[in-house]
Structure formats: C-alpha cells, structure tokens
Amino acid sequence: MLTPARWLLAALAAVALAGCDTTALKVAEDLKTYDVPATVTTVELTGGSGSVEVAAVDGPHRVRERHVYADLPPLTSHRVEGGTLFLVDQGCGKAADADGRCSTHYRIEVPRTLAVTVKVRTAPVTVTGMTGALDITTDVGAIRGTGLAGKTKATTSVGAVELRYAAAPPAVDVTNDVGATQVFLPAQGEYRIDAKTAAGPAVNLPSLPKAKSAITLRSSTGAITVAPA
C-alpha cells in the first residue's frame, strides 16, 4: 500500500502514463501462452504495470502473457510448487518501467474453485466467475469482480472497487484509499456489514449482528455502496 503522502503522486503518474502519446515510441509486442497443470489449486501473481484478467473456464486452462515494450521485453517467469502456480513479472528495468515503456498483460483461465492472489503496482484487475478465495492488491488500478462467491480481500491505494457476488461470500474485506467502492450481494443472504468512509456509506441491505458473512469496507476518500445484486 502507498502512504497517504504518495497516493497522489502515484495517481498523477498513472494519469500521465495513460495520456502519453506512444506513437513516437518503437513499441514491440509479443505473446506467451502456457498451460495450467491439473494439480494447481492456487495461483499467485506478482507484477508491475499492465493489466490482469482472471476468468473461470471449463477448459482449456492456460495463461496468456502479452508483453508491450520499447527496448528489452519484460522478464517474466512461471513455476509450480506444492500445488501453487507462481507468476512473476519483474519488468523491463528501472528506466523503462519508470517512463511507461514496459507492461505485461495477463489473461489467466482456470477452474472456478481455485484460490487467486494478485499483487501489482499499476494495473487494473478483473476477475470473472471465480468461487474460490481472492486476495487482490493494487497500488494504482481498479479492482472489478463479477459472478464471485468466495472469501474476498481487495486492497488499493488509488482505484475503484466493484465486486458482484452470485452467492453469499463467507467474508469480504475491502480497503480503498482513494476511489469508490461498490459491493453487490445476493438479497437472500444474511450479512454483518461494517462500512466506514469520510463520504458516508450507503448501505441498502440489512446488517445482522449475528450473521456469519462479514462485510468490512473502509475508504479514506470515496463513496461506499452496498446493494442487492
């Protein structure tokens, strides 16, 4: 997580990179695709800049990396240890990473029950159809999920968070320094909701003190909304 003094600098940097005219750069692009072994039960990704998509599919199960760079390609790796698929993006080097000339865009297609951990610096993260546990962290980048059902932890310094659940999750824990947070839960579920933000939360579902499903939402600057899915 960024400190409160640094989130504004990060946000301005992200805006500046998004607005850069890359047509003057000699940009290269390449693709890498590999299968996810059937023995994998957990995916852990550590990355820098780009984007991350995680999608539940019946098969085939695979990872696609799209690298965009101006000089040397990003240094990425993947390995399986003890049922966990580790994905690592080390970037292209300090100079290329700093001026936005390096990004890795992941598309991860896996069984819906897998647990997924993602930690990235500047990248939006999208998760679709996963019912396993999620732990998503971005310094700068939106976090969006649809068709979810598992325990979820989402943390961002700058970026919107939008989570939509197809089934009542055991727990949801969101920390968002700057950005709106929206959580949509099945109306038939029972929840213990604790939402706090300077802007004032809008909670449109009953909060039951003895409910097993704990929904904890925190934001320093940004609206919080809890509503039926």
Side-chain angles (χ1 to χ4, degrees):
M1 289 288 291
L2 298 177
T3 63
R6 294 178 61 194
W7 68 256
L8 181 56
L9 292 177
L12 292 174
V15 171
L17 291 177
C20 285
D21 181 6
T22 59
T23 58
L25 297 175
K26 294 181 179 180
V27 176
E29 182 172 330
D30 62 55
L31 294 173
K32 179 190 296 185
T33 303
Y34 42 91
D35 293 334
V36 177
T39 56
V40 167
T41 58
T42 303
V43 176
E44 292 192 12
L45 185 156
T46 303
S49 299
S51 63
V52 179
E53 296 178 68
V54 181
V57 300
D58 294 328
H61 302 135
R62 58 193 177 187
V63 177
R64 184 182 67 189
E65 300 178 12
R66 182 168 64 90
H67 306 146
V68 181
Y69 54 95
D71 188 6
L72 296 175
L75 180 59
T76 64
S77 64
H78 63 279
R79 72 184 195 280
V80 176
E81 291 183 10
T84 298
L85 172 61
F86 292 94
L87 309 173
V88 179
D89 171 21
Q90 298 184 57
C92 303
K94 290 184 179 181
D97 293 346
D99 62 16
R101 293 181 294 145
C102 177
S103 61
T104 300
H105 303 269
Y106 284 92
R107 170 137 180 117
I108 303 167
E109 299 175 336
V110 289
R112 65 185 67 252
T113 56
L114 263 61
V116 177
T117 297
V118 175
K119 295 182 179 180
V120 290
R121 292 193 302 273
T122 306
V125 179
T126 302
V127 182
T128 305
M130 299 298 295
T131 61
L134 302 174
D135 186 349
I136 312 295
T137 302
T138 74
D139 282 348
V140 179
I143 300 172
R144 303 188 188 280
T146 59
L148 308 180
K151 181 179 180 181
T152 305
K153 183 176 181 180
T155 307
T156 183
S157 294
V158 182
V161 176
E162 181 180 333
L163 304 174
R164 295 178 179 268
Y165 290 86
V172 177
D173 187 343
V174 177
T175 302
N176 185 350
D177 285 347
V178 181
T181 297
Q182 296 177 296
V183 177
F184 298 90
L185 301 163
Q188 66 272 22
E190 295 185 349
Y191 311 101
R192 178 163 35 93
I193 303 172
D194 180 8
K196 294 181 181 179
T197 175
V203 178
N204 298 313
L205 283 169
S207 179
L208 305 177
K210 295 184 179 181
K212 294 182 179 180
S213 181
I215 313 299
T216 305
L217 312 174
R218 297 288 186 270
S219 179
S220 298
T221 305
I224 291 178
T225 301
V226 182

